[in-house]
Amino acid sequence: MAEDNVTANRTFLGFDLSTQQLKVAALNDNLEVLHEAHVKFDTDLPEFRTQGGAVIDKSDHHRITAPTLMWVKAVDMVLDRLMMAGVDFSTVAAISGSAQQHGSVYWQKGASQTLLRLNPDEFLHQQLAHCFSVPDGPIWMDGSTAQQCRQLEAAVGGAEMLAAITGSRAYERFTGAQIAKIYQTKPDAYKNTERISLVSSFLATIFLGRMAPIDLSDGSGMNLMDIGAKRWHPGLLDACAPGLEERLGDPVPSNTVLGPVSPYFVDRYNFNPDCRVVAFTGDNPASLMGMRLGEGWFAVSLGTSDTAFLWLKDAKVVPDGHVLRNPVDENSFMALLCFENGSLTRERVRNACAERSWDIFNQLLDSTPRGNFGNLGLYYDVQEILPKLEGDFRYNKTQRVAKFTSLEVEVRACVEGQFIAKRAYAEDFGFDVGRGTKILATGGASKNKAILQVLADVFNSPVYVQKVAESAMLGAAYQAKHGLTGENWERITASLPEPVKVCDPYPDADEIYAPMTLRYRHVVQELLDEKSSKLTK
């Protein structure tokens, strides 16, 4: 009976260290949120002078970093805020977390000894102030490593081979190129580095009190891992810097129990000494967990940039897409698709066509038929990732045109074009559209029923939404329980509310959008060929 009472009272902490803030939630055994707290970097820690949580180099605006000590100080603050909110840390059974992907932390030699000797009477940031050989580490926004990206690709025979090995071609913001640049430009700092963490494993290290390993899922987004073999690729490590394998350590599955919480937190905050730290992961893998995405689901986050998630059985690589190890099932994978032109592009068309009103926008959208009379529009306010194009491209049934015949055609062309693109790339990953598949919509536009109806029709699949926000933070808390108990993932999350279906596709949807998807592919290829031809002249 006493054991049942302990189980009933146990809680789980899920952290999320995003670009702009550190958030944490305390969940009970039914995974219901009991308490939340957050620290916003710009406003709560103004002494670090960040903008949006980052520092942009004035002489090179492509070089973007974040102060590692700011994140440490945020841990001090967020735990104090939880304590003031009444959280009893002695009930916490396990901790896990997520963090912005592609950032890196450089621990100075001797830092591991400092972590073992932390004084519970002092703040963390006071004791770790001199533990980082690179005080401001590069983060995902940094775009200053084009040279190092080409070096990585050359080391394995080109971009396609790199993607086949690591799941992605070389990206400036990925950690492998960032490490190579640190070694090349700051050799003394690299030499004095004891360990290199991702932001996720850095945060895990803080709570573990010793160097935490990188998990397979976040580690697979570094351009350094052989994602099939689940280990670092020797040739890529050598292409970055000497002694890198020792500085990274061996990666571990995402649900690995790393050990007990550091005595520092036991003495300072009254954590239970039996509280376990489960491996921390990246925010995208954690979001997959928070959305409870499984096979047959395609999740679309409709935000400033649109992001799509997909559960994969096999590592099928798509140009400019990303494949990561799956945080729930280490034998599976997840696909990640990023589209730069999301809500801001939809808002631009709304402002031009619908008097800045979503109600009018939706009326125009609903007044046009599925398929839009054969009109197709591709709108890229900034250079798109998938595909690499910029500008507005409009087509009627037969040819490219300067403008459409009506505002309602323009509105539907924007929405249909965006979703047809997502369908095309989902199909490339092997997503079998309409064959029992389901779409999960999140983000700001997931509240717009008219837009979601187009999404359902284009994918010939029902669309669902979740009431749960903060999927990365909650996914981390779910992983804490998953790692601690070792129970089946479906059983762990069975108590959570199911997604709510908001719309079904019309019966004729696939007759309309399968041919339009094929047409989209032809149009994009023509535009890319045209762009390539201009560049070679």
Side-chain angles (χ1 to χ4, degrees):
M1 197 71 174
E3 288 186 8
D4 290 342
N5 189 50
V6 170
T7 300
N9 291 329
R10 69 183 178 183
T11 57
F12 301 91
L13 293 185
F15 289 85
D16 179 36
L17 200 169
S18 65
T19 310
Q20 300 186 46
Q21 61 185 321
L22 174 64
K23 298 167 286 188
V24 60
L27 277 60
N28 65 16
D29 207 50
N30 291 323
L31 302 183
E32 298 167 323
V33 177
L34 301 175
H35 300 279
E36 291 185 54
H38 66 267
V39 173
K40 294 186 176 181
F41 302 140
D42 289 0
T43 54
D44 290 327
L45 294 165
E47 63 270 28
F48 292 98
R49 299 184 178 183
T50 57
Q51 296 179 345
V55 177
I56 302 173
D57 192 308
K58 293 181 180 179
S59 61
D60 178 6
H61 67 274
H62 293 294
R63 183 176 180 271
I64 302 177
T65 60
T68 304
L69 195 62
M70 176 180 73
W71 297 336
V72 178
K73 196 168 185 179
V75 174
D76 288 322
M77 294 177 68
V78 83
L79 288 175
D80 283 346
R81 289 178 180 183
L82 272 186
M83 188 165 57
M84 291 174 64
V87 172
D88 180 1
F89 290 113
S90 69
T91 67
V92 179
I95 301 169
S96 190
S98 77
Q100 53 179 287
Q101 290 198 259
H102 314 307
S104 46
V105 171
Y106 300 79
W107 296 92
Q108 187 150 304
K109 288 181 178 179
S112 57
Q113 292 302 310
T114 301
L115 288 166
L116 291 173
R117 298 193 299 264
L118 292 174
N119 181 351
D121 294 328
E122 298 179 4
F123 287 112
L124 285 168
H125 72 272
Q126 295 172 327
Q127 301 177 74
L128 299 180
H130 303 290
C131 282
F132 307 105
S133 55
V134 180
D136 287 22
I139 60 172
W140 68 272
M141 300 166 70
D142 186 280
S144 65
T145 59
Q147 175 185 337
Q148 289 75 22
C149 286
R150 304 294 79 79
Q151 292 168 356
L152 277 177
E153 291 174 345
V156 292
E160 290 185 8
M161 184 58 69
L162 183 66
I165 295 168
T166 71
S168 303
R169 68 167 181 83
Y171 277 88
E172 285 83 354
R173 64 183 183 272
F174 277 26
T175 320
Q178 300 289 358
I179 293 171
K181 185 181 177 186
I182 292 291
Y183 170 66
Q184 293 168 17
T185 61
K186 300 179 179 179
D188 290 340
Y190 181 83
K191 184 179 180 180
N192 290 327
T193 297
E194 172 184 342
R195 189 67 171 254
I196 298 174
S197 297
L198 295 181
V199 183
S200 58
S201 59
F202 149 78
L203 194 56
T205 294
I206 296 293
F207 287 100
L208 192 62
R210 57 182 174 82
M211 295 299 169
I214 294 170
D215 84 294
L216 286 171
S217 195
D218 203 2
S220 58
M222 299 171 68
N223 276 145
L224 292 178
M225 183 183 291
D226 182 333
I227 61 170
K230 295 186 284 191
R231 60 175 178 263
W232 306 123
H233 187 278
L236 291 169
L237 295 182
D238 291 343
C240 287
L244 183 52
E245 185 169 14
E246 179 184 353
R247 286 171 171 83
L248 292 176
D250 294 329
V252 300
S254 302
N255 63 350
T256 299
V257 176
L258 303 180
V261 70
S262 167
Y264 173 86
F265 297 97
V266 175
D267 295 336
R268 185 175 179 85
Y269 295 101
N270 196 34
F271 273 81
N272 190 316
D274 292 328
C275 172
R276 288 313 193 240
V277 178
V278 178
F280 287 33
T281 191
D283 53 1
N284 289 307
S287 290
L288 179 139
M289 294 188 289
M291 292 185 289
R292 299 160 60 206
L293 207 64
E295 291 186 55
W297 283 86
F298 185 79
V300 183
S301 176
L302 301 170
T304 303
S305 296
D306 288 347
T307 307
F309 300 85
L310 180 64
W311 181 298
L312 297 177
K313 288 185 178 180
D314 302 304
K316 185 174 182 180
V317 177
V318 171
D320 295 312
H322 309 292
V323 176
L324 308 175
R325 297 298 314 197
N326 192 307
V328 176
D329 177 2
E330 65 173 294
N331 295 316
S332 297
F333 301 85
M334 64 173 285
L336 182 64
L337 295 165
C338 298
F339 301 87
E340 288 284 342
N341 296 275
S343 65
L344 295 183
T345 301
R346 289 187 288 272
E347 287 173 14
R348 190 254 297 179
V349 173
R350 177 205 66 181
N351 294 345
C353 299
E355 302 175 17
R356 311 182 75 88
S357 165
W358 283 117
D359 287 338
I360 297 175
F361 181 94
N362 292 343
Q363 290 171 17
L364 294 172
L365 186 59
D366 290 337
S367 69
T368 45
R370 295 180 299 283
N372 204 16
F373 304 108
N375 295 292
L376 178 66
L378 307 179
Y379 300 82
Y380 308 119
D381 292 0
V382 297
Q383 179 169 291
E384 188 52 85
I385 299 171
L386 296 164
K388 283 190 172 62
L389 293 169
E390 186 172 356
D392 290 352
F393 306 95
R394 299 174 179 86
Y395 294 82
N396 62 22
K397 283 185 177 181
T398 59
Q399 62 185 345
R400 186 169 169 181
V401 295
K403 66 178 184 178
F404 288 126
T405 55
S406 67
L407 297 178
E408 54 266 37
V409 167
E410 185 97 35
V411 165
R412 180 165 281 273
C414 173
V415 178
E416 285 189 344
Q418 288 185 328
F419 291 150
I420 288 170
K422 292 171 180 58
R423 169 172 170 161
Y425 290 105
E427 288 177 343
D428 289 345
F429 271 122
F431 188 72
D432 201 359
V433 171
R435 310 279 181 165
T437 53
K438 301 175 182 178
I439 310 299
L440 180 65
T442 67
S446 66
K447 298 178 178 67
N448 189 315
K449 179 73 179 295
I451 288 177
L452 295 188
Q453 184 60 58
V454 178
L455 178 61
D457 291 331
V458 169
F459 275 82
N460 192 30
S461 303
V463 172
Y464 295 74
V465 296
Q466 284 181 321
K467 293 182 179 179
V468 174
E470 306 291 357
S471 59
M473 178 179 68
L474 295 179
Y478 303 163
Q479 185 71 299
K481 183 175 181 180
H482 185 218
L484 178 70
T485 63
E487 293 180 9
N488 176 276
W489 176 254
E490 286 72 22
R491 182 177 176 184
I492 289 287
T493 57
S495 63
L496 296 170
E498 292 295 323
V500 177
K501 184 164 69 171
V502 291
C503 48
D504 281 303
Y506 282 89
D508 63 347
D510 206 45
E511 296 174 18
I512 296 169
Y513 290 107
M516 287 191 72
T517 303
L518 184 61
R519 186 181 177 210
Y520 163 85
R521 293 180 183 278
H522 291 315
V523 165
V524 165
Q525 190 57 56
E526 288 175 2
L527 290 172
L528 290 173
D529 290 343
E530 179 183 313
K531 177 183 176 182
S532 178
S533 177
K534 289 179 180 179
L535 290 174
T536 56
K537 286 182 180 179

